């Protein structure tokens, strides 16, 4: 009999039986905080159910005619896709059913949604249920972005009211944030205040998110940029100068590679994995920017900062410190590897002197 050098028999695989699921991860995190009541963990279980549901419907979308327009527009003027409507409904239902969410902001809803039936619920959730949905018909990756705030004690209780103003806080007030990308597989990235960034992959046969990317860290630099250059005629001079310098770095130097999908979650996830910079600058056509501070910019900024990166707006202010004027307020965005974002800041400062 031939010696196979100690390798396992053909057809046999090494099986990992110590699997860290998202549920196990949250439960183990909870034990680190003696004051934890378990409410946050229950809220996160409801969140992951909504991610699994949206992933399921996106996989089936082309089979059951869920793509195409639903016939109405959302608050920011985008034509709603059928899946947008379904994703929004799933999110609302999951948050209501959790019993731990007091108030919800969704990109698809003009006003906040209050769950008055849960007056003692201490959490506020902000989300973009299906970001990048204009790409759905082409099979391009879309995603969900979310953030979680803890409400102050003075608004808790049966005789108290919670309003939009209780959500107009900077990203530094977030206790957790993250996003799910629905691509070839569903990838969930989550972080908590003062913690690391962890990535999970949905294992469809088990129906569980499995920890596959523990303690994600951005490379300090990487020669990749991601931006819609079709808007360059509207950019400020300093902004055009910055991107020109990436493409024309000088004699003997290699230009940056361009990678742009047009779905923020997909572009940000690639940037998080490989490094580089993702940008959506404010410009003369959209002076305030295009991305929403509360449920796109702040949650993403928290993920990138906790992974060792930087995130700023078009005035080089830290994205995490922006206070939205209303729940759908917008901003320009530059986020990515620390050294790459610093180059943006240096170019801006050179022009603004």
């Amino acid at each position: 009999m031939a010696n196979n050098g100690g390798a396992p028999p053909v057809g046999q695989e090494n099986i990992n039986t110590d699997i860290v699921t998202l549920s196990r991860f949250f439960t183990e995190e909870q034990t680190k905080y003696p004051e934890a009541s378990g409410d946050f963990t229950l809220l996160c279980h409801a969140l992951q159910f909504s991610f699994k549901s949206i992933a399921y419907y996106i996989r089936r979308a082309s089979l059951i005619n869920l793509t195409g327009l639903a016939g109405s527009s959302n608050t920011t003027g985008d034509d709603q896709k059928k899946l947008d409507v379904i994703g929004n409904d799933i999110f609302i239902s999951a948050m209501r059913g959790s019993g731990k969410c007091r108030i919800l902001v969704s990109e698809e809803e003009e006003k906040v949604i209050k769950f008055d039936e849960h007056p003692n619920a201490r959490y506020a959730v902000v989300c973009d249920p299906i970001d990048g949905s204009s790409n759905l018909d082409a099979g391009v990756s879309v995603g969900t972005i979310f953030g979680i705030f803890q409400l102050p004690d003075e608004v808790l209780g049966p005789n108290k009211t919670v309003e939009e103003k209780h959500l107009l806080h900077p990203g530094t007030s977030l206790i957790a944030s993250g996003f799910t990308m629905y691509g070839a597989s569903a990838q969930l990235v989550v972080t908590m205040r003062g913690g690391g960034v962890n990535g999970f992959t949905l294992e469809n046969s088990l129906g569980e998110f499995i920890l596959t990317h523990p303690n994600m860290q951005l490379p300090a630099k990487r020669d990749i940029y991601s931006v819609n250059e079709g808007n360059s005629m509207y950019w400020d001079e300093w902004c055009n100068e910055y991107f020109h310098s990436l493409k024309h770095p000088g004699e003997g130097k290699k230009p940056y590679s361009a990678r742009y999908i047009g779905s923020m979650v997909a572009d940000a996830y690639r940037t998080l994995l490989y490094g580089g910079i993702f940008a959506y600058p404010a410009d003369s056509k959209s002076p305030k920017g295009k991305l929403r501070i509360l449920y796109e910019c702040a949650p993403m900024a928290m993920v990138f900062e906790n992974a060792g990166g930087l995130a700023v707006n078009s005035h080089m202010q830290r994205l995490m410190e922006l206070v939205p004027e209303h729940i759908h307020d917008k901003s320009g965005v530059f986020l990515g590897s620390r050294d790459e974002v610093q180059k943006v800041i240096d170019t801006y400062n050179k022009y603004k002197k």
Side-chain angles (χ1 to χ4, degrees), residues 20-48:
V20 179
T21 65
L22 186 61
S23 300
R24 172 180 165 184
F25 176 81
F26 282 134
T27 303
E28 290 178 355
E29 284 293 306
Q30 182 184 318
T31 61
K32 298 176 185 176
Y33 303 94
E35 73 280 8
S37 64
D39 285 4
F40 177 75
T41 302
L42 288 171
L43 178 71
C44 290
H45 288 327
L47 277 171
Q48 73 159 314

Side-chain angles (χ1 to χ4, degrees), residues 218-219 221-225 270-277 336-337 340:
L218 267 163
K221 56 186 175 183
R222 188 73 191 271
D223 51 358
I224 300 173
Y225 73 98
R270 185 201 54 251
T271 304
L272 185 64
L273 285 177
Y274 303 150
I277 189 164
S337 297
E340 303 305 338

Side-chain angles (χ1 to χ4, degrees), residues 132-307:
S133 55
S134 60
N135 288 310
L136 266 172
D137 288 347
V140 173
S141 298
V142 296
T144 299
I145 309 171
F146 68 93
I148 304 171
F149 293 93
Q150 187 165 341
L151 294 166
D153 290 341
E154 58 262 28
V155 303
L156 304 180
N159 300 316
K160 307 290 179 62
T161 57
V162 61
E163 304 293 343
E164 176 179 316
K165 65 183 180 183
H166 295 120
L167 287 168
L168 301 181
H169 295 295
T172 49
S173 298
L174 285 164
I175 60 168
S177 78
F179 60 86
T180 306
M181 189 188 78
Y182 311 104
S185 57
Q187 307 281 336
L188 168 63
V189 173
V190 65
T191 190
M192 296 177 209
R193 186 191 295 162
V197 178
N198 290 280
F200 299 79
T201 303
L202 182 59
E203 188 6 285
N204 289 319
S205 57
L206 294 174
E208 291 281 2
F209 279 104
I210 307 296
L211 180 63
T212 50
H213 297 74
N215 193 28
M216 300 175 80
Q217 284 288 308
L218 267 163
K221 56 186 175 183
R222 188 73 191 271
D223 51 358
I224 300 173
Y225 73 98
S226 179
V227 68
N228 181 1
E229 294 195 79
N231 290 327
S232 60
M233 67 178 284
Y234 305 113
W235 290 346
D236 289 345
E237 188 181 357
W238 71 265
C239 191
N240 269 307
E241 163 63 26
Y242 165 72
F243 286 108
H244 183 269
S245 73
L246 302 186
K247 293 178 287 185
H248 304 275
E251 192 73 36
K253 294 181 181 175
K254 186 172 170 248
Y256 277 47
S257 297
R259 299 281 186 273
Y260 187 67
I261 298 166
S263 170
M264 184 196 189
V265 167
D267 280 311
Y269 185 57
R270 185 201 54 251
T271 304
L272 185 64
L273 285 177
Y274 303 150
I277 189 164
F278 166 77
Y280 207 124
D283 55 37
S284 60
K285 191 174 64 169
S286 304
K288 288 206 81 171
K290 286 278 284 186
L291 299 176
R292 288 56 148 200
I293 296 170
L294 194 60
Y295 46 82
E296 291 177 323
C297 301
M300 277 297 184
M302 186 179 188
V303 167
F304 273 75
E305 284 196 5
N306 286 356

